[in-house]
Amino acid sequence: MSKIQAIRGMNDILPTQTPVWQYIEAVVRDTLRAYGFDEIRMPIVEQTDLFKRSIGEVTDIVEKEMYTFEDRNGDSLTLRPEGTAGCVRAAEEHGLLYNQTQKLWYAGPMFRHERPQKGRYRQFHQIGVECFGMPGPDIDAELIIMTARLWKRLGLTSHLELQINTLGSSADRKRYKADLVAYLQERFDSLDEDSRRRLQTNPLRVLDSKDPGTQAVLEGAPSLLDYLDEESRNHFERLLALLDGAGVSYRVNPRLVRGLDYYGKTVFEWVTTSLGAQGTVCAGGRYDGLVEQLGGKPTPGVGFAMGMERLVLLLETLQLIPATANNNADVYIVAVGGEQVEAYGLRVAEQLRDELPDLRIQMHCGGGSFKSQIKKADRSGAVVAVILGETEAEQTNASVKPLREQGDQVSVALAELSPTLRKMMQA
Ligand code: ATP
Ligand code: MG
C-alpha cells in the first residue's frame, strides 16, 4: 500500500530541530515578558468574513491564498492566514478593548496557499504582537526597540536592517493613489503583468514589485511622503526621533508597503540579505482603523509578526545556535540484570529527579546487554552514566562512570549519588 505523506508546504518539525525552535521561543517569550506583554491564544479557524473584512478583498492573501472550506453546517470557515484579525476579534468579543490598553502576544501556525520555496511555506509559524488603545508613536517606538533587543539577544543585530515607512492617513493615501495611478497609467507598457492588474485593484502594491522594468518606472514615481497631512508627518518624525534616541538605526524606504489593507501610518520590516528572496523575518505596522472596521469602537492598534521558519533558517545559516540548544541527556542510567535491577533503576531515577530537578535524567528502558546500554548512554550526550547491576541493587549503591573524560568508575552510596553527580556535572 502506498504511504500517506504530509501536505506540500506543510513541514514536520523533527526532534533534532525542536531544540532550536524552543531556544528562539524561550528568548522571545522572556523578552515579551520583560516588556510587559501578555499572551493570548486564539482558535486557528475563524469565519471567512473576518479575514475578508480586515485583510481586504483585493489582497493576495484573500484573493488566492486562503484555506477556505465549508464546515458541516454550511458555514464558510478559513484557516487563519495571520493573527491580527483573530486577535482583534477576540479582544473585542471579550471586552478587552473597553476603556483600557492592551499589549498582547500570540504564537502559532498560520496557513497560506503560496508556492512553497525556501522560507515560504503553506503552514508556517508566527509569533505576533498587538497593542491596542495607544495612538502615539511611543508604542510604535517601543515595539521596534523591543525587536532590536530581541535581535541582540539572538546575535542577529548586524544581520538585520530595519526598513521603515509611513502610509499616512486614508485621506493621504487616497490623494496619493490618484497621482500614482495617473503616473503609472502613462507608463503602462513598461509595467509587468502583476503590476498592471494591481494598478486597477490595489495600486499601492505596485510599489512592492520586484520586476526590474517596473522598478525602473517607480524611480520617478511620486512619493507618499510628499502627501502626508500634518498629523501623520508629526507621528512619523517623532517616531524616527525616538528611534534615534534609542540608538536603533533604520532606513526610510518610501516604497515599503504591506500586503494587508488595514495598515496606516507606521509600517516597518526587519530584513536580512542572508536568506535570498525571503528576507523579511519580521514585519508590522499601525492599524488604527481595523477595530472599527470589524465592528468595534475606534481603537488605535499597532503590531508585528515574525516568521519562525525564517528565524530558524537565519540562525542556522549564520551558525548562531548556541551549543546548549540540543537534546542531550545529563545523566544516563544503565540497568543490567533481572526484574529486581529494573525496579531498582526506576527508583534511583526518581530519586535523582527529586534531588536534581534541573538535570535531564535518561533511564534506559528496553533491556539489552551492558555493552549496548553503554553505547546508548554515550549517544545520549550524557556526561555521566549511572550503572546499576545486581550487586548495586543488593547493596543499594550505584556505580558512576564519566563519559566525556577519562576517569575510573566509582561506587557510591545512594545518599552520595546526587552530590557526586552534581560535582561531575560542574567539572
Ligand atoms: P512576504 O512579503 O515575505 O510574503 P508578508 O508581507 O506576506 O511576507 P506578513 O503577512 O507581514 O508577511 O507576515 C509576517 C512575517 O511572517 C513575514 O515577515 C515572514 O517572516 C513570515 N511569513 C509570511 N508568510 C510566510 C510563509 N508563507 N512562509 C513562511 N513565513 C512567512
Ligand atoms: Mg506574502
Side-chain angles (χ1 to χ4, degrees):
M1 225 196 294
S2 67
K3 283 189 186 145
I4 296 172
Q5 294 198 318
I7 295 163
R8 200 163 112 81
M10 303 204 179
N11 301 313
D12 299 303
I13 302 164
L14 299 176
T16 47
Q17 301 168 304
T18 47
V20 179
W21 284 69
Q22 290 172 353
Y23 160 67
I24 299 172
E25 286 160 0
V27 173
V28 177
R29 217 182 304 118
D30 290 351
T31 306
L32 288 164
R33 193 183 153 68
Y35 278 78
F37 285 82
D38 301 328
E39 187 185 1
I40 182 168
R41 301 186 185 196
M42 297 88 67
I44 283 168
V45 184
E46 299 272 1
Q47 300 210 28
T48 303
D49 276 345
L50 176 69
F51 302 114
K52 286 193 177 168
R53 274 165 61 182
S54 55
I55 297 168
E57 297 264 8
V58 289
T59 56
D60 283 353
I61 294 179
V62 171
E63 271 185 343
K64 51 189 189 197
E65 294 175 359
M66 293 205 302
Y67 280 91
T68 297
F69 60 97
E70 244 182 45
D71 80 351
R72 287 170 194 276
N73 306 327
D75 298 327
S76 180
L77 306 183
T78 294
L79 298 186
R80 63 182 186 192
E82 56 103 56
T84 307
C87 186
V88 169
R89 198 263 316 134
E92 183 60 26
E93 189 168 327
H94 300 283
L96 305 188
L97 305 183
Y98 184 74
N99 268 347
Q100 58 199 312
T101 59
Q102 292 288 348
K103 289 162 70 182
L104 305 174
W105 70 275
Y106 50 82
M110 307 292 162
F111 303 85
R112 297 182 194 176
H113 197 275
E114 307 199 65
R115 192 168 68 77
Q117 52 197 294
K118 185 184 169 196
R120 195 177 290 290
Y121 311 101
R122 291 182 172 172
Q123 172 174 327
F124 60 99
H125 297 77
Q126 288 183 338
I127 299 182
V129 167
E130 316 291 349
C131 301
F132 298 103
M134 291 161 272
D138 52 350
I139 185 68
D140 305 24
E142 176 151 89
L143 285 185
I144 291 171
I145 291 165
M146 177 172 73
T147 49
R149 181 181 293 276
L150 190 59
W151 310 142
K152 193 167 145 202
R153 288 193 180 175
L154 293 170
L156 288 173
T157 303
S158 61
H159 304 280
L160 290 173
E161 180 191 58
L162 173 62
Q163 297 189 10
I164 191 163
N165 191 22
T166 178
L167 300 179
S169 67
S170 55
D172 300 341
R173 285 194 297 284
K174 206 168 160 195
R175 282 184 296 122
Y176 173 66
K177 265 184 211 168
D179 286 3
L180 179 68
V181 169
Y183 173 89
L184 294 174
Q185 281 292 2
E186 280 171 30
R187 293 151 184 89
F188 192 80
D189 292 343
S190 312
L191 299 179
D192 64 281
E193 202 180 313
D194 254 0
S195 295
R196 289 180 188 177
R197 192 172 51 82
R198 281 179 173 150
L199 193 52
Q200 315 302 328
T201 56
N202 200 347
L204 282 186
R205 288 292 283 167
V206 176
L207 298 176
D208 208 23
S209 169
K210 306 279 184 288
D211 178 77
T214 303
Q215 288 211 340
V217 170
L218 287 169
E219 287 298 330
S223 167
L224 180 53
L225 293 177
D226 298 325
Y227 290 74
L228 300 178
D229 63 19
E230 204 186 333
E231 198 207 324
S232 297
R233 195 168 42 240
N234 285 343
H235 188 103
F236 193 49
E237 278 169 8
R238 182 79 193 122
L239 170 58
L240 298 186
L242 289 169
L243 294 178
D244 290 335
V248 175
S249 37
Y250 52 81
R251 183 163 74 79
V252 175
N253 174 1
R255 288 202 213 141
L256 180 68
V257 289
R258 313 282 359 276
L260 303 94
D261 277 354
Y262 50 64
Y263 287 111
K265 287 188 179 155
T266 312
V267 289
F268 66 92
E269 290 190 0
W270 286 95
V271 186
T272 175
T273 49
S274 307
L275 289 181
Q278 273 59 250
T280 303
V281 299
C282 174
R286 184 164 274 282
Y287 48 83
D288 292 343
L290 181 58
V291 175
E292 193 181 10
Q293 209 171 304
L294 290 175
K297 278 205 203 143
T299 307
V302 56
F304 67 79
M306 56 191 131
M308 280 295 295
E309 281 80 1
R310 292 187 195 175
L311 275 175
V312 169
L313 270 172
L314 185 58
L315 289 180
E316 282 172 352
T317 306
L318 300 169
Q319 301 187 310
L320 287 173
I321 295 154
T324 47
N326 62 50
N327 284 328
N328 288 354
D330 294 310
V331 175
Y332 196 98
I333 300 178
V334 168
V336 189
E339 284 172 6
Q340 201 196 339
V341 180
E342 194 176 281
Y344 183 58
L346 285 170
R347 229 179 74 214
V348 170
E350 284 310 298
Q351 181 186 325
L352 291 180
R353 289 171 187 136
D354 283 339
E355 294 169 357
L356 305 166
D358 57 316
L359 294 192
R360 194 160 197 225
I361 314 283
Q362 189 89 269
M363 170 71 202
H364 180 90
C365 292
S369 67
F370 174 78
K371 202 173 149 200
S372 76
Q373 291 197 29
I374 276 287
K375 223 185 210 167
K376 283 229 169 109
D378 191 48
R379 260 191 254 140
S380 76
V383 177
V384 191
V386 170
I387 298 164
L388 307 173
E390 273 152 22
T391 320
E392 283 81 1
E394 270 159 31
Q395 299 177 354
T396 58
N397 60 14
S399 297
V400 171
K401 180 181 161 65
L403 295 171
R404 303 299 145 198
E405 50 190 64
Q406 301 297 356
D408 292 335
Q409 184 170 317
V410 291
S411 175
V412 296
L414 224 40
E416 283 309 304
L417 184 55
S418 14
T420 307
L421 292 175
R422 178 67 79 198
K423 233 179 273 160
M424 292 172 79
M425 292 299 304
Q426 280 158 356

